[in-house]
Amino acid sequence: MINTSSAASARAEGWALALERLEVDRLQVRAGGGPDATARQHAKGRLTARERVTALIDPGTPFDELMAFAGYQMYREAGGCPAGGVVTGIGQVTGRPWMIIANDATVKAGAFFPITAKKVIRAQTIAQENRLGVMYLVDSAGVYLPMQDEIFPDQDDFGRVFYLNARMSAQGIPQLSAIMGNCVAGGAYLPVMCDTLIMTEGSGLYLAGPALVRAAIGQVVDSEELGGAGMHAEIAGTVDYRESDDTAAIVRLRKLAGLYAQTDLAGFARRCLEEVPPVSHAALESVASLDGAAPYDVRELIGALVDADPDDRTTSSFQEFKAEYGQTVVCGFARLGGYPVALVANQRTVIRKKLKAGGVPGLNTRIEVGGVIYGDSADKAARFVLDANQAGVPLIFLSDVTGFMVGRDSEHEGIIRRGAKLVNAISNSVVPRLTVITGGSFGAGHYAMNGKAFAPRFIFAWPSARYAVMSGNAAAKTLMDIQLAALKRSGHQPDDDELKRLYDEVKSKYDQELDPRYAAARLWVDEIIAPAETRERLIRALKACAQNPKLEELRLGVFQV
C-alpha cells in the first residue's frame, strides 16, 4: 500500500529543491559578466543593462524577462555568455507594455554571439506579432569576431535584426533607441533606423572605430571626433537628442514613450471583465508531478489557474468542452485575469474509456493512459481549436504530453489522420496562442500541443519540463540498442559492466538534454518560470497580445476528416 503522506512529502521536497535551484541559476545569470565587469561599467559613469531597465519601467511594476537562460552553459571556450549578452523582456513604460532590448556591456563588452543575434531576433518577433513598441538600450562592441561566420551571413543571423527593424517601422510599430556606450560597425544601423535616437556623452557611434580607420585608410582621429555624441548632434545630424548620461537618456525615453498614441486593442481584450481570483488556492506544484511519475487531474491545475466565475465566485469560470469524450485531452473556455481564453490541456489521470458496441465480445471498456493523445482526443482538440478561432479567443496550451498512441488498434483507428487534423488546425489558427510546458513535451505530442515550431506568441516552461523526441528511458534504450548492434557488427561483444557504463553515459547525456535549461539556452522556450508565477505571467502575456487588434482570415487548406 502506498503511503500517500510520504509521497506528498517527497513531492514537496523535490519541488522545493527544483525551485531553489531555479532561483540560484537566475541569480547567476543576472550577474552578467560578474562584479568586476559591473564595477568597470560604473567607473565609466554608466549603469548596467539591468539597472537601466529598472530605471526605465514604471516604478513598482514587474519586468517580465524573456530568454534569461539564453546561452546557458554555452561558449565555455570563450568564457561563457550569460543571458546571451543582452537583456530582453516586456516592461510597462508610462502605462503601456514595451519590449525592451538592452545590451549587457559586462559580457564581452556587449558583443554579439550567435545566440545574442537569435535572442534579439526572437524579441523583435514577439514585438512584431503583438505590435509592441520596442526600446533599444544600445551598448555593444558589435559582432564577436572569433565567431563571425556563425553570426554574420545567414537569413536568421545578425542582418535579420535590421530587416525586422525596418519592417516594424513600416508597420507603424514604435521604436526608440538610446546609445549609452559603444555602437559600432553594422550594429550602428539599428538605432539610426528607429523613430528616435538618443545618445549620451562619452558614447561612440561609427561604422569603424579609430583603430580600424587608421588601419584601413591611415587617418588618425580620436573617438569623439570620429563618432561622439557632440559630432553626431552638431555636425552629422544623426542624433535627435543628446543627453549628459544614462539617467537623462532614460528620462527622455520615458517622456517620448508617453507621447505615442494608444492603438485599438484586440477584440478579445474588449471583452475583458474585472479580474476574479481563482476558486482554488492550491499551489500548482502541489498538483503536478515534478518527475512525471505521479498522475494528477489537470482540472485541478486549471481550477487553480483561471478566474472564478464572475457571476458565482464559489465556482470556476472553466466551461469544459465535450467533457466525456476524448478524455486524455481537456478543453474548455474560461477567464484569466478577466480575459476570455480557451484552454487545451493534457489529462494525466488514467481513463477508463467506454467502447462502442460491436468490438471484442465482452469488452466494454479499455484503459487509456494519461498524457497520451488518442484518436478521439485529437478530434476533440482540433474541433475546439476551430471553436476558439470562431470566437476570436486566445488559446492557452498546458502541455504535459507523452505523445500520440501507437500500436495496431490506434493505427486502425486512424491516429495519423486524426493527429494531422489537429496539427493542421493549430498551424492555421489565427488567434494568439500561448504554451506552458508543465511536464513532458515529447515527440509529435509536442507539436500537437503548440510547440515552438508552431510559432506560439509566448512559450513558457516549468522546472519540471522535459523536452525531447522521446522520454529519457525510451531514448536511452533505443540508442543503446543501436550502439550495441554496431559493436556486435565490429566483432566486439561487451560484458555486463561495459553495457552498464554505456547505458549510463547515454542516459546521462540524454537527461542533460531533457533539462529545460538546455532548451532555454537554445531559445526553444521563451522563459523558465516557477509554477506560482504562471497565472500572472500569462495575464501579462495576454495584455501584450491585446496590443495587436488584427486577426488574419482563418484558412485551413486540405483538412483530414
Side-chain angles (χ1 to χ4, degrees):
M1 184 175 182
I2 298 174
N3 185 333
T4 54
S5 63
S6 175
S9 176
R11 176 184 294 189
E13 183 179 353
W15 268 110
L17 290 172
L19 294 173
E20 181 182 350
R21 183 192 168 190
L22 175 62
E23 191 55 36
V24 168
D25 289 343
R26 282 174 169 176
L27 290 172
Q28 182 182 3
V29 165
R30 290 168 183 162
D36 290 345
T38 297
R40 288 193 293 272
Q41 184 77 349
H42 288 164
K44 296 174 185 176
R46 297 173 184 166
L47 302 173
T48 65
R50 293 178 187 279
E51 289 168 343
R52 288 167 176 165
V53 170
T54 300
L56 178 60
I57 63 176
D58 294 346
T61 62
F63 175 63
D64 285 328
E65 187 165 357
L66 296 166
M67 299 167 284
F69 283 92
Y72 182 75
Q73 294 186 345
M74 295 169 65
Y75 312 120
R76 291 178 176 175
E77 70 285 354
C81 187
V86 61
V87 177
T88 61
I90 298 172
Q92 180 173 294
V93 182
T94 64
R96 69 187 281 184
W98 288 75
M99 175 64 74
I100 301 170
I101 300 173
N103 299 115
D104 187 350
T106 71
V107 179
K108 294 289 190 295
F112 272 67
F113 281 69
I115 200 67
T116 316
K118 288 177 170 54
K119 180 172 175 177
V120 172
I121 290 166
R122 173 60 181 157
Q124 289 177 306
T125 300
I126 291 171
Q128 184 181 40
E129 289 176 341
N130 297 295
R131 297 191 68 83
L132 295 174
V134 186
M135 293 188 183
Y136 303 94
L137 310 184
V138 183
D139 192 351
S140 171
V143 166
Y144 183 64
L145 287 176
M147 294 184 180
Q148 64 84 27
D149 62 321
E150 300 177 54
I151 305 167
F152 173 71
D154 207 353
Q155 175 176 308
D156 289 320
D157 286 345
F158 194 48
R160 191 74 174 184
V161 172
F162 315 125
Y163 171 85
L164 291 172
N165 193 193
R167 297 284 292 182
M168 283 191 287
S169 181
Q171 292 165 13
I173 298 172
Q175 295 179 91
L176 305 176
S177 64
I179 299 172
M180 301 173 165
N182 287 318
C183 185
V184 301
Y189 289 112
L190 182 143
V192 176
M193 293 168 68
C194 291
D195 303 354
T196 300
L197 173 56
I198 299 165
M199 189 171 178
T200 61
E201 296 287 358
S203 296
L205 170 65
Y206 26 66
L207 290 179
L212 184 55
V213 167
R214 182 175 182 177
I217 63 173
Q219 187 178 73
V220 179
V221 58
D222 65 27
S223 178
E224 183 61 33
E225 183 184 359
L226 181 64
M231 188 284 293
H232 279 296
E234 299 173 35
I235 299 173
T238 308
V239 170
D240 301 314
Y241 298 92
R242 174 184 175 186
E243 302 296 345
S244 58
D245 56 20
D246 286 8
T247 300
I250 289 167
V251 169
R252 179 74 71 178
L253 277 171
R254 287 184 53 81
K255 288 181 177 179
L256 291 169
L259 298 174
Y260 277 84
Q262 175 65 58
T263 58
D264 291 338
L265 295 178
F268 77 87
R270 296 197 292 271
R271 300 292 289 176
C272 188
L273 302 179
E274 179 186 355
E275 179 180 348
V276 183
V279 172
S280 171
H281 299 292
L284 297 182
E285 63 268 25
S286 72
V287 176
S289 169
L290 178 64
D291 60 7
Y296 64 90
D297 189 336
V298 76
R299 295 182 188 91
E300 294 182 35
L301 192 153
I302 293 170
L305 189 63
V306 303
D307 292 4
D309 189 319
D311 297 322
D312 179 3
R313 301 194 176 203
T314 65
T315 62
S316 171
S317 63
F318 184 59
Q319 302 178 69
E320 188 169 353
F321 174 82
K322 293 186 184 291
E324 298 173 274
Y325 182 75
Q327 293 183 53
T328 62
V329 174
V330 172
C331 304
F333 292 100
R335 287 191 179 271
L336 181 61
Y339 293 110
V341 294
L343 293 113
V344 179
N346 300 112
Q347 179 59 283
R348 294 297 301 188
T349 60
V350 175
I351 307 296
R352 184 174 291 277
K353 175 183 169 61
K354 186 180 292 186
L355 299 177
K356 63 183 179 180
V360 179
L363 188 61
N364 300 317
T365 62
R366 77 177 181 201
I367 297 298
E368 292 189 342
V369 181
V372 177
I373 301 175
Y374 292 78
D376 55 357
S377 49
D379 282 344
K380 179 174 81 172
R383 162 66 190 280
F384 182 71
V385 166
L386 298 185
D387 275 12
N389 276 268
Q390 183 78 348
V393 171
L395 279 155
I396 296 176
F397 291 79
L398 303 178
S399 178
D400 190 355
V401 61
T402 306
F404 284 90
M405 189 59 189
V406 297
R408 182 190 58 196
D409 291 347
S410 188
E411 297 292 357
H412 286 187
E413 291 171 2
I415 188 64
I416 299 174
R417 167 178 56 80
R418 297 163 94 175
K421 179 163 49 178
L422 174 56
V423 167
N424 189 332
I426 294 170
S427 300
N428 289 297
S429 175
V430 297
V431 296
R433 288 176 283 107
L434 300 83
T435 299
V436 182
I437 302 176
T438 64
S441 189
F442 296 122
H446 168 72
Y447 304 142
M449 293 302 292
N450 194 43
K452 182 63 184 289
F454 291 77
R457 296 279 186 98
F458 295 92
I459 180 167
F460 302 113
W462 285 3
S464 51
R466 299 174 307 285
Y467 203 123
V469 73
M470 64 178 71
S471 65
N473 288 330
K477 186 178 185 308
T478 302
L479 291 168
M480 266 296 295
D481 289 345
I482 294 170
Q483 287 195 18
L484 187 57
L487 288 172
K488 287 180 177 178
R489 284 197 300 272
S490 68
H492 178 64
Q493 181 66 48
D495 58 24
D496 289 346
D497 289 342
E498 187 176 0
L499 283 174
K500 184 178 184 308
R501 181 181 58 78
L502 284 171
Y503 178 83
D504 289 344
E505 287 177 359
V506 170
K507 182 71 163 55
S508 175
K509 180 178 183 297
Y510 204 83
D511 284 346
Q512 179 186 354
E513 294 172 1
L514 283 172
D515 190 290
R517 292 160 187 79
Y518 188 91
R522 291 153 181 81
L523 310 187
W524 301 342
V525 298
D526 291 325
E527 191 67 359
I528 303 173
I529 60 174
E533 300 166 348
T534 307
R535 176 177 160 87
E536 294 305 319
R537 284 298 294 252
L538 284 174
I539 291 171
R540 292 194 294 271
L542 288 168
K543 183 177 181 180
C545 294
Q547 305 305 305
N548 186 355
K550 297 181 180 179
L551 282 184
E552 297 177 13
E553 179 187 356
L554 178 65
R555 302 178 65 180
L556 294 174
V558 177
F559 199 71
Q560 286 282 0
V561 296

